[in-house]
Structures are given as structure tokens and as C-alpha cells.
Amino acid sequence: MKPTKLFITVFCGMLLFPSLIKAQEEIIITKRQHPKSKDNILIINNKTLNDSTAILLFVENAPERFNAPQTPSFALMSKNNKYLMGIGGYVKGTVSMDFNGVIDNPAYFTTSDIQVNPSAGNDNLLQFNANESTLFYNLISTSDSKNKFGAYINMNFTGNVNTINIEDAYVTYGGFLLGRTSSLFTDASAIPPTIDGEGPNGLTYKTNQVLNYRGHFGKHFSTGIGLEMPSSDFTTSEYQRVSNQFIPDIPSYIQYSWGKGNNNHVRLSSIIRNVNYRNLIEDKNDIKTTYACQLSGLLSYKEKMVFYYQFAYGTGISTYIQDLSGLKLDFLPQIPKNQKDNKGELDYVNSMAYYAGLQYNFNPRTFVSCTFSQVDINVPENYDDTAIYKKAYYLATNFFWYATQNVQLGAEYLYGKKVNQNDEWGQANRIQVMVQYNF
């Protein structure tokens, strides 16, 4: 059976599942609302639950980032009341108009894709998009034990030719997480809200295969450490060759939280990478060790104002920065003045990325936000006058409104500017509107 047909069959089966249960025994549907949440959830089961913590458990097991769905509209309880599975998602449609420079991607406003010398007459572009629509499954244990089991799958349709793209697929046990999700180097809860699916160009974000552990110490401190799949996002010449990567990336962080419900935090993160390549002149493998650190967090004031921030700096981490990922700028081939001095080595590339965002909540259903971000790289001096990326700026200002509990509307203005090492530059502007139905 083809994967698409299999997915449709499984999804339809999940929708029919409550009807199959009803044919065997009576269903009791109870509405539960967590005291600190305005979300409601319908729980389908053969017995009434003993508590109302389902929403909190779903949130704890889901990714923290703004655009990741967490709580479903309904959930199915196992017969023994030990597991609860939520099924949900959202349908997200956007209409955008690019002007005075364009980015040919309706889902992601990636400033590194801005054309420096665009073809005449191509300064405007109308785009429609529904590929960010999302389905998710969130399975949680209702046990009182600290070592709870959970599983989470989140998928959208941003793959090639509108195919399914797995954003998250992992299992949790206690403080351990194994599977595919955003890097531990990412401070997901400090990502500002945007309609743009990519967000700030300086955001350190990478979806990766991970094994990590997170723990809490006292009421305010938490920490985490992980092993993540390495990658080879660097440029080679005829004197180097990309080789297999076999040393995992090692991210870690320590965080201090405070305030009502610990809704403020500051986090210090680091990542160590060991990238392997083949030196063809010396006919041996070389390993480049890189380090990066990051300061991030959020501050809230009387539940009205929220300030998001992040500053990251390091070598060989372009693959972890939104705007640079895929540009092969972790390292560049060394260019000696004389060929006899050529040792076949790679040179380090330093990267700096930051963003600052401010959100104002008019009420629990309506808010506005504005975010500014920048990425800057420092290349070896021999690349100073080339067309290689040098820096880029990103500005997003938006408005979100929950028209009803399930329907969210939004509007956003985006501006981007990219500058190359030879100081040539290009820009793009976008206005877009969004309609999203959550289920």
C-alpha cells in the first residue's frame, strides 16, 4: 500500500474509533478544564476521570514552540485508564503579497533567499499556501509516577510536491526524550510568534534526531544535555572531501525561571561539535572542533507585555542558524597565498545571530508583536570581496485574534535585507493574512 493511502486509511480509522467503541459499550464524555488554562478537552472513555490534569499533561509532552500544536479538542482514554491519546491539529491558510523584492516561498520568509540582482519586472509576487496545515498525535501516561511515558507525532505538508513532512516524532520517559524534534540548543519557549513559518532569521533552530535529558533542581533551576545527529554543512574545494560524520553534536543548557508559574526565564546554552572531513593533500581525515554559546529567555509583565530574546555566537554553527542552514558555511576551504603552502585544510567561519521581540496582549484572545533579528558571519579575509553571504536583517510585525475558541485570524508585515561580502544587497517586503482553524 502506498504511504499516502496508508496514512488516509489510518487517519479515517482513528476518526471512526469512537463509533466502534460505542458499539461495544457505553461512552461517557466529560469536559475537563485545567484551572490555569482556558482550553477545553472532551475525553472519550468508559469511565469518568478522577482528575482534570489532562491539558497540563498534554502541554508538558508537546514541543514548546509557538506554532507546535499541544492540546487537542478531544482525546481517547485507554480501557485501563493508564493512557490518554489526543488527536488534533489545525488547517492554516495564508495569502501573501511580496513587493519591492520577493522571496519565492509562501511558507518561509528566508532572508538568505533574497535575490541581490533580481530580474527586471519581478518585484511583485502573489502566493497562496495551506501546506503548513498540521496533524498531531499526543499520547500521555496518566500515572502519578515521575517517570511517565509519552509519545508525540506532528506532521505538516511542506515536503516536496506537498508531501507529508515529519516535524516531530519522539517518545519520552521521565526526563529522557528520544526521536526527532528541535535541537536542545533551541530555546523553543523563547521563540516569538509569527505567521511566517520560519520566524526570525537569527533563530538557532534545527530539527534533528536527538537523545537528550532534561531535569529540574528545586523550584527555579533546570538543565539539559543531549546527543544529536551530526551534519556536514560546509564548503569544500578540490583539496577536501566531505566524509561520514561519526561524532554526535553535544548541546546543553542551564535555566533559571521565576515569576507566576515560572513564566519568566533566562537560559545559557552551549554546543560542542566535531566535524570530520577528508584532507586530500595529506590523505587523511581531519576533525574540526567548534564551540558556540547562547543567551536566551523571555520576560513577562502583568500578563500584558512579553519580551523574547536570544543572542548566539560561535564557530561552525551555521547549520543551527535559520538563515544560514544549507548554505555550507560552517567552514570554507583555506586559500593560501602560495600553492606550496596549501595544506588542504578548512578555515573556521564565525557566526553571530540574535533577535528581540515584544508582544502586547490586549486580552487573552488578541495580541500584537514585533520582532527584529540579524545574522552576521565572519569569513576568512580571502573571501571578503566575493558574493558569499555576509549578513541579513529580518523584521516582523503582526496581529493575532482568536475570533472563536477554534478560529484564529492574523495579519503580518515582513521585511528582509541580505548583504553579500562584496557589499551588494537585496531586499524583500511581504504582507500576508492568515486564517487558522484548530481542532
Side-chain angles (χ1 to χ4, degrees):
M1 182 179 291
K2 293 183 178 180
T4 303
K5 293 183 178 179
L6 177 61
F7 172 77
I8 294 174
T9 302
V10 173
F11 181 67
C12 291
M14 297 303 297
L15 295 179
L16 292 173
F17 187 66
S19 300
L20 297 176
I21 296 178
K22 190 172 183 178
Q24 298 177 8
E25 57 188 16
E26 182 182 0
I27 300 175
I28 298 175
I29 301 179
T30 58
K31 179 177 286 189
R32 297 294 184 184
Q33 184 172 9
H34 190 268
K36 296 182 180 180
S37 174
K38 296 183 179 297
D39 294 331
N40 291 324
I41 184 171
L42 292 179
I43 300 174
I44 303 175
N45 189 18
N46 63 323
K47 290 183 180 180
T48 304
L49 286 178
N50 296 322
D51 58 68
S52 58
T53 62
I55 290 175
L56 181 60
L57 292 174
F58 277 131
V59 171
E60 289 178 344
N61 193 55
E64 296 176 302
R65 60 185 185 273
F66 170 76
N67 60 356
Q70 298 175 332
T71 56
S73 297
F74 70 93
L76 307 176
M77 177 69 79
S78 64
K79 190 172 182 179
N80 57 11
N81 284 355
K82 291 185 177 180
Y83 297 98
L84 188 64
M85 183 174 70
I87 306 169
Y90 55 78
V91 178
K92 177 182 178 181
T94 62
V95 180
S96 63
M97 172 62 77
D98 287 16
F99 59 96
N100 193 18
V102 305
I103 296 177
D104 190 10
N105 188 324
Y108 305 130
F109 193 79
T110 308
T111 55
S112 61
D113 288 341
I114 295 175
Q115 297 181 29
V116 171
N117 296 301
S119 302
N122 287 326
D123 284 342
N124 302 282
L125 179 64
L126 177 66
Q127 299 181 93
F128 296 82
N129 181 52
N131 293 6
E132 292 179 89
S133 299
T134 296
L135 295 171
F136 80 99
Y137 302 87
N138 196 348
L139 174 71
I140 56 175
S141 168
T142 59
S143 169
D144 293 332
S145 170
K146 293 183 179 180
N147 294 324
K148 294 184 178 69
F149 174 82
Y152 182 90
I153 299 177
N154 170 28
M155 63 195 81
N156 57 32
F157 302 90
T158 58
N160 294 331
V161 198
N162 304 334
T163 54
I164 294 173
N165 175 55
I166 302 296
E167 285 288 330
D168 304 272
Y170 59 78
V171 295
T172 58
Y173 182 74
F176 289 95
L177 183 149
L178 173 64
R180 175 180 173 83
T181 189
S182 54
S183 169
L184 196 70
F185 192 53
T186 301
D187 188 355
S189 61
I191 301 176
T194 58
I195 296 175
D196 171 29
E198 182 166 287
N201 66 345
L203 172 65
T204 53
Y205 182 89
K206 181 181 181 181
T207 300
N208 208 353
Q209 323 304 321
V210 307
L211 169 61
N212 59 47
Y213 176 81
R214 307 182 191 212
H216 296 269
F217 302 92
K219 295 181 179 180
H220 302 288
F221 284 97
S222 60
T223 187
I225 188 168
L227 300 176
E228 302 190 356
M229 185 72 71
S231 58
S232 52
D233 193 16
F234 55 86
T235 301
T236 59
S237 68
E238 58 183 312
Y239 306 111
Q240 303 89 21
R241 174 171 53 83
V242 176
S243 56
N244 294 334
Q245 304 301 307
F246 57 88
I247 304 176
D249 297 348
I250 306 175
S252 61
Y253 74 84
I254 184 168
Q255 176 173 306
Y256 178 79
S257 304
W258 73 95
K260 183 180 178 180
N262 276 346
N263 59 348
N264 301 283
H265 79 264
V266 58
R267 176 184 290 192
L268 181 62
S269 306
S270 67
I271 188 168
I272 300 173
R273 305 187 65 216
N274 290 277
V275 179
N276 186 57
Y277 73 98
R278 187 70 178 179
N279 185 324
L280 298 181
I281 289 183
E282 298 187 2
D283 194 25
K284 68 175 185 177
N285 280 15
D286 283 343
I287 294 178
K288 287 285 189 180
T289 300
T290 69
Y291 306 90
C293 60
Q294 175 176 283
L295 180 69
S296 60
L298 63 87
L299 299 170
S300 61
Y301 176 72
K302 294 184 177 180
E303 298 184 355
K304 285 289 186 180
M305 303 281 288
V306 183
F307 175 61
Y308 306 86
Y309 62 92
Q310 175 214 283
F311 178 85
Y313 181 82
T315 58
I317 59 163
S318 69
T319 186
Y320 280 85
I321 298 175
Q322 287 271 72
D323 210 34
L324 302 179
S325 181
L327 297 184
K328 300 186 180 299
L329 290 176
D330 279 348
F331 309 97
L332 290 171
Q334 191 178 83
I335 302 178
K337 295 181 179 180
N338 300 309
Q339 180 58 33
K340 64 179 181 179
D341 297 327
N342 191 349
K343 298 180 180 180
E345 296 181 351
L346 295 177
D347 273 338
Y348 290 98
V349 175
N350 298 321
S351 303
M352 181 274 293
Y354 73 87
Y355 65 75
L358 185 64
Q359 175 181 325
Y360 181 78
N361 303 315
F362 294 101
N363 53 58
R365 295 170 55 183
T366 311
F367 67 89
V368 295
S369 78
C370 183
T371 300
F372 179 78
S373 182
Q374 179 183 348
V375 177
D376 199 328
I377 68 170
N378 184 18
V379 299
E381 60 181 13
N382 291 309
Y383 292 90
D384 285 345
D385 295 324
T386 65
I388 291 177
Y389 180 110
K390 179 179 182 180
K391 58 185 176 181
Y393 305 93
Y394 174 99
L395 174 67
T397 180
N398 47 49
F399 169 82
F400 290 90
W401 173 47
Y402 278 95
T404 68
Q405 183 176 346
N406 297 96
V407 178
Q408 186 180 29
L409 306 177
E412 183 170 70
Y413 167 72
L414 296 162
Y415 172 78
K417 179 180 179 179
K418 183 184 76 170
V419 182
N420 289 336
Q421 293 292 330
N422 55 16
D423 291 330
E424 293 184 346
W425 58 276
Q427 64 180 0
N429 296 264
R430 174 174 296 179
I431 294 177
Q432 60 183 353
V433 294
M434 175 198 77
V435 178
Q436 181 172 308
Y437 181 81
N438 304 298
F439 60 88

